[in-house]
Structures are given as structure tokens and as C-alpha cells.
Amino acid sequence: MVDTNVLVSAIRSADGAAREVLRRCLNGDAEPLIGNALFLEYEDVLSRDRLFEGAGINAEERSALLDAVLSVCRWTNVAFLWRPNLPDEADNHLIELAVAGNADWIITRNTRDVAGGELKFDSFGVLTPDAWLRQDED
């Protein structure tokens, strides 16, 4: 599963690990999960023109990219909420999606908060884009 902050980083920086994570998803090397909350977050953040000033991608191109990303995602319904859990309430949907979709990884730039929940799950890990790419090479 790919957190919104990784998607934003991939768009804003052509040379970073986040861009490679996105590239691998779009090439079918990884199948990210998507659920209602993450979809709405992607849609909201990608609509923010100021966030992408200087990134060389306009709103129409971001919309097309979102469509491409969604086309490679596996839709996952979340039927059970694991709350309260994380220090930042806004991140709880990531844990819920990972559990519901039987994810291997949550790829995020915010590993400290996402991995810092009261509830611990052995079924998935939380990695930065760099760490995910490194473990994928092993």
C-alpha cells in the first residue's frame, strides 16, 4: 500500500525513491491497495494546485496520473475500524486498509507515526520508499 505522502513525493521529485515505487506499481511489479479513505485522500491532495507548483504537472495531468494509479490498485473494503490506535487519527485508515487487504507493506515517509500505534500487527511492515526498494532487491 502506498501512502499519500509517497504519491506526492513521486510527483514532486523525478529522481527519488518515491518515484521508483510509483513506477514499479504502474509497471505491475507491485499491487497497491486502495480503499475509500485512501482514495478520497489521494483525490483531495492531488487537487491542491499550490502543492504542485513548480512540479511541471497540471491538474489535468494529475487527474490522469490518479486514474493510472487507480487502474493498478486492488480495491479493498474496510469492514472493521482499529481505533483509536495511531498518534495521528488521520493515519488510522492506513492500518485498517492494510489489515483488511492483507497487505505486506505500508510504504510511507511517516514511518514513525504509522508504525507507532498501540496495536501491533505482525502481518505487515511499515517502510520508507528507500527501505522498501532495498528489501525488494534482496
Side-chain angles (χ1 to χ4, degrees), residues 13-29:
S13 176
D15 299 325
R19 177 72 64 100
E20 182 60 24
V21 168
L22 183 59
R23 194 174 288 119
R24 290 186 187 190
C25 291
L26 291 170
N27 286 337
D29 298 327

Side-chain angles (χ1 to χ4, degrees), residues 59-136:
E60 185 176 307
E61 292 165 328
R62 290 192 308 272
S63 179
L65 177 61
L66 178 58
D67 288 344
V69 169
L70 295 174
S71 76
V72 299
C73 288
R74 178 168 42 101
W75 185 266
T76 304
N77 291 314
V78 174
F80 190 82
L81 304 182
W82 295 92
R83 298 178 187 208
N85 184 31
L86 299 179
D88 182 352
E89 170 61 29
D91 290 331
N92 277 315
H93 72 95
L94 297 171
I95 301 298
E96 294 158 356
L97 184 58
V99 171
N102 202 22
D104 293 323
W105 305 104
I106 296 175
I107 305 169
T108 181
R109 301 183 76 75
N110 187 16
T111 57
R112 185 184 53 170
D113 286 348
V114 175
E118 295 174 16
L119 302 172
K120 302 297 179 196
F121 297 92
D122 294 332
S123 58
F124 61 87
V126 179
L127 295 174
T128 64
D130 292 313
W132 183 77
L133 292 170
R134 281 193 308 273
Q135 70 81 36
D136 195 45

Side-chain angles (χ1 to χ4, degrees), residues 1-63:
M1 173 176 28
V2 178
D3 192 1
T4 307
N5 58 47
V6 175
L7 181 60
V8 170
S9 293
I11 293 169
R12 293 178 54 149
S13 176
D15 299 325
R19 177 72 64 100
E20 182 60 24
V21 168
L22 183 59
R23 194 174 288 119
R24 290 186 187 190
C25 291
L26 291 170
N27 286 337
D29 298 327
E31 182 185 45
L33 301 177
I34 192 78
N36 191 54
L38 187 58
F39 167 74
L40 292 172
E41 189 174 86
Y42 278 3
E43 199 171 49
D44 173 53
V45 170
L46 291 180
S47 72
R48 299 178 191 172
D49 290 331
R50 292 186 81 188
L51 185 59
F52 298 99
E53 287 178 0
I57 184 170
N58 63 34
E60 185 176 307
E61 292 165 328
R62 290 192 308 272
S63 179

